[in-house]
Every structure is written in C-alpha cells, then in structure tokens.
Amino acid sequence: MSKHNPYDNVIATVRDAAGKLGLKESEYIEFMYPERELKVSCPVRMDDGSVKVFEGYRVQHSSLRGPFKGGIRFHPDTDENEVKALAAWMTFKCAVVGIPYGGAKGGVTVDPSQLSEAEIERLTRRFTAAIAPIIGPDADIPAPDVNTSGKTMGWLVDTYSAIKGKWSPGVTTGKPLELGGSLGRTEATGRGVMIATREVLKKLNMPVEKQRVVVQGMGNVGSFSAKLINELGAKIIAVSDVSCGIYNEAGLDIPDVIKYLSTKGNLLKNYQQSGVKQISNEELLLLDTDILIPCALENQINEGNAAKIKAKLIVEGANGPTTVEADKILEGMGVIVVPDILANAGGVTVSYFEWVQNLMFLKWELEEVNSKLNSIMCSAFEAVYEIHEQHKVSMRTAAYMTAIKKLAETRKLRGIFP
C-alpha cells in the first residue's frame, strides 16, 4: 500500500472550497504551492562520540497575509509531504481566525525517545542554525509541536539570538515565561478546542452535561481539551496515549489521569483505577460516544474506519486527523466535523498574542489572554457556521471557504509582482 500523502488532502480541499466560492483557478492556484521549501542536514555529535546526520525541513507556505508561522516537530515519520501539508493548514488556520500570519511548518526526522536530553539539545541547536537564514521575528516564527516543548523553544531562541548577536525573543512562541513566553499559551490549543466544542453544542442544542466524550491523544492538546471539557460538565469516558486507551463508561477521573501522566515515563497502559479497562487506540475511535476529539497525528480517521464511527460530533484537536475519503463517509452519515483549522486555532492565536507582547515589550495578564482568545475563537466559529448553514456545506468546507476568500481578496489587493 502506498503511503498516504497528506498534501493530496490539502489540494483536494482547496479545489473543492474554491469551486464552491466560484473562484477561477487563477485566483487560488498559488495556495496549492508552498512559497519556499528548505531541506537541511543536521550532523550531531552523539553522547558516545559518534556523529549522526538527521534530516530536517522548514516549509513556508504563504506570506500573503503576514510573516510565516508554524511549529517544529521531532518525529520518526516526519517527511517533506507531511511538513508541506502542515504548513498549508497553518496558512488557512491563521486566515480563518483572522490573525496576520501565513503558514509554515518545520520538522526533523528523528525518534526523540532514542536520544538523551543533551543530544536533543544539540540537534535543536543545529537545526536552528540550519534554518536561521529564513526565520526571524518579522519573517518566520516557529513554535512547539509534536515532541517539542517550551524547553526546545528556549534552546531555539538562545541559538538564534547568539547567531544574530542580540536577544530576539520574538523569533519563536511557546517559550517559557522567563524567556518572554505568554501566560495561557501552554493550554491555548486545548482551550480553543473546548471553546469550539462548547459553541457547536450550543448550535446543535446538545446540553454539554449530557455528552459523553472520547479524547484520542493525551499530549498537551488532548490533556487540556479533556480537562477543560470535563470542567464544562461533560463526561470523558475514554482517553489514550501512545501505549493504549483507557475506558470507563461511567466516566474517567480526568484530574487523576492528568496527574498520573504528569510524571515523566508514566503511560496509560500502567494506569490502575477501579472500573477502568484498557482498549486499543483503534477501538477508542469506534466507541459509542457523543463527541470524539482526535488529538494525535494525521490520518487517524480514514476510509478504513470512518463508517464504523459512532460519534455524532467530531472536534479536531490534531492537524489533519481525517482524510478526504473519510470526510465524505462522515458527511454521508450526518456526522458534524468541526475542522482542525478552526477547532485547534487557539494555539496559534495565543502564539500571536505572545509575539505581540514580545515586539512591544509588554506582559498581559492571564484573564486578558483568555478573554481575547475567547472573543477571536467565537467570532471565527460564528463566521464559519454561518457559511456552513448558508451554503449547506460541511463545516470543513465552510472553514476553507472563509480562509480562501480572505486569501484571494488579499492577493487581489496586493497584486502580483512583477
């Protein structure tokens, strides 16, 4: 079987949304091509004195509406097509929520669990040096993603600042507070998922306290999504990590699960609590539930399992968890999907706040950050939902129509050089 190419998803979705907007190909064709793709090799001295070379990528999809913006992931399956797709999704995500950025993404093909912390630091610094010519506070601003964190961004900002000869906190977001990070950034993506879930439940007249919720992936996004949706009053019946899923029909003790996972090395396969049983990640996606929130990697809901999904509502915490083929199946089944470029845009929105604070040498209080995030997410949700109802299209198509319309209008106003 040939490897799924997520960039094919991007092209298919862009064509579909642009067609529904009645755009000519000349008005949207540039959004199907990244502006710039950089591939780098990163030689790293390992702890045993040997040298290994890791391949890395930085893809800049569009700077039409502002500087490039997007995370950096360290993952063994990371490749050029994945990074291209993620960069494009960032362009559309930023346009949907109306923040002045274009999309980018970075990645290194590596299994960080096989490296020591010192090796990961040396790899991060070498990768930063390799992409330094094309990043910067007014050019391209990275952030954490899969298997990277605030600590990784600390190494990145230090390396970049050393190369430039001046302290440049605005080169990255998702940094520790002491290095110019923003309050509310760590939980921002999960908070955005919660806001999207809350808003769609209001539209569907589904009381939140009556909903059973399944969360796939208990990394940063999944754990905060589970925590905040649990606090709204919904019942989280299953969650998962890389080791397995855990399920309790009566509802999981989410604060206890999060506390358990906060200890480094703890995995759900060793989590013990009465009434909790272990299931596979495949079984987790097919549970009888009201809401499914995929917060893991791409391509989780696909042609092979979409028809067996029992959730009435899917809110995408991860980037690209549903393939184009699965989307068609789910739409035919009447399942509402709140797409990634809307549902998980809380992270990039608060990254934008962090960047603004860095550029202006300001510090906002948590209440201000959360209030601004809520306002932007609710406005974006309303705009997308209105197109969804008006044009009788899926929420995903509506979100892409919103984004592509803004991008096409911006291109019209800017014109094409030369």
Side-chain angles (χ1 to χ4, degrees):
M1 185 179 136
S2 64
K3 190 179 175 190
H4 166 77
N5 181 353
Y7 202 71
D8 293 340
N9 269 14
V10 174
I11 290 171
T13 315
V14 169
R15 281 196 186 283
D16 180 46
K20 290 190 167 67
L21 283 167
L23 295 179
K24 299 194 288 282
E25 191 179 66
S26 60
E27 294 178 280
Y28 68 85
I29 191 167
E30 73 174 279
F31 312 133
M32 301 198 295
Y33 295 87
E35 270 181 44
R36 185 181 288 115
E37 298 177 52
L38 177 65
K39 183 179 178 183
V40 298
S41 62
C42 304
V44 175
R45 191 171 300 285
M46 309 305 281
D47 292 342
D48 64 5
S50 66
V51 174
K52 274 192 183 171
V53 177
F54 298 91
E55 288 192 329
Y57 309 90
R58 186 69 181 172
V59 175
Q60 298 175 328
H61 178 260
S62 171
S63 60
L64 192 57
R65 289 172 48 86
F68 300 105
K69 182 83 190 84
I72 290 171
R73 61 174 52 185
F74 290 173
H75 197 275
D77 296 335
T78 292
D79 64 16
E80 210 160 344
N81 287 321
E82 178 191 63
V83 177
K84 266 170 71 173
L86 290 161
W89 286 324
M90 284 299 295
T91 296
F92 303 124
K93 189 183 299 186
C94 293
V96 165
V97 288
I99 55 178
Y101 282 145
K105 208 75 179 189
V108 177
T109 311
V110 59
D111 182 353
S113 70
Q114 302 303 305
L115 272 59
S116 70
E117 186 167 292
E119 289 168 338
I120 293 170
E121 179 179 348
R122 291 195 289 274
L123 172 59
T124 303
R125 290 183 183 277
R126 185 67 197 217
F127 179 64
T128 303
I131 64 170
I134 65 165
I135 63 171
D138 58 356
D140 181 351
I141 304 108
D145 197 74
V146 177
N147 293 329
T148 56
S149 63
K151 182 182 275 186
T152 322
M153 294 306 108
W155 296 328
L156 187 152
V157 72
D158 180 70
T159 308
Y160 181 85
S161 298
I163 290 167
K164 296 297 174 186
K166 62 178 181 182
W167 176 234
S168 305
V171 70
T172 181
T173 58
K175 302 179 294 294
L177 289 174
E178 294 79 3
L179 300 180
S182 175
L183 292 166
R185 173 62 189 90
T186 310
E187 65 269 27
T189 309
R191 185 170 292 279
V193 171
M194 176 275 285
I195 294 167
T197 306
R198 183 191 71 201
E199 294 305 302
V200 75
L201 288 175
K202 283 184 201 168
K203 296 286 184 193
L204 301 172
N205 293 318
M206 292 166 66
V208 69
E209 55 282 352
K210 291 189 177 169
Q211 306 313 314
R212 296 162 304 154
V213 181
V214 167
V215 178
Q216 183 202 27
M218 281 295 277
N220 173 280
V221 179
S223 56
F224 280 111
S225 299
K227 175 182 185 286
L228 295 167
I229 291 167
N230 185 58
E231 285 170 7
L232 282 182
K235 182 160 68 175
I236 315 279
I237 60 167
V239 299
S240 68
D241 65 8
V242 288
S243 68
C244 73
I246 56 169
Y247 169 62
N248 184 353
E249 202 177 337
L252 293 165
D253 182 344
I254 291 300
D256 187 63
V257 173
I258 291 171
K259 186 179 169 192
Y260 171 79
L261 289 174
S262 68
T263 301
K264 194 173 165 58
N266 276 4
L267 291 168
L268 289 176
K269 66 179 181 185
N270 301 316
Y271 180 76
Q272 301 287 322
Q273 204 63 268
S274 69
V276 172
K277 62 179 184 183
Q278 283 187 16
I279 54 172
S280 70
N281 255 298
E282 292 72 29
E283 290 172 307
L284 177 115
L285 292 170
L286 308 180
L287 284 172
D288 182 10
T289 186
D290 303 303
I291 306 170
L292 173 61
I293 305 181
C295 296
L297 292 168
E298 304 88 55
N299 192 25
Q300 298 298 299
I301 301 170
N302 49 54
E303 206 171 5
N305 62 9
K308 301 176 202 156
I309 281 176
K310 299 180 187 70
K312 307 176 190 74
L313 174 64
I314 295 172
V315 183
E316 296 183 335
N319 291 310
T322 312
T323 66
V324 170
E325 297 77 19
D327 253 339
K328 290 186 183 121
I329 295 166
L330 294 169
E331 205 175 339
M333 290 160 58
V335 177
I336 302 272
V337 180
V338 184
D340 47 5
I341 63 167
L342 172 61
N344 73 23
V348 73
T349 303
V350 177
S351 273
Y352 166 60
F353 298 162
E354 180 179 333
W355 179 69
V356 168
Q357 290 170 80
N358 291 162
L359 296 185
M360 297 176 73
F361 299 97
L362 285 176
K363 194 99 184 143
W364 295 346
E365 293 302 323
L366 181 61
E367 292 72 20
E368 186 173 0
V369 171
N370 286 345
S371 163
K372 286 178 190 293
L373 172 62
N374 189 66
S375 170
I376 285 176
M377 287 294 295
C378 288
S379 298
F381 183 89
E382 284 298 326
V384 170
Y385 201 83
E386 193 177 317
I387 288 181
H388 158 67
E389 291 205 305
Q390 189 184 334
H391 290 267
K392 302 285 182 279
V393 293
S394 71
M395 288 280 286
R396 187 181 316 281
T397 301
Y400 275 87
M401 286 169 75
T402 305
I404 289 165
K405 189 175 179 207
K406 286 183 188 177
L407 286 157
E409 281 171 3
T410 307
R411 173 46 76 209
K412 204 178 202 172
L413 291 166
R414 283 184 59 166
I416 291 183
F417 172 82

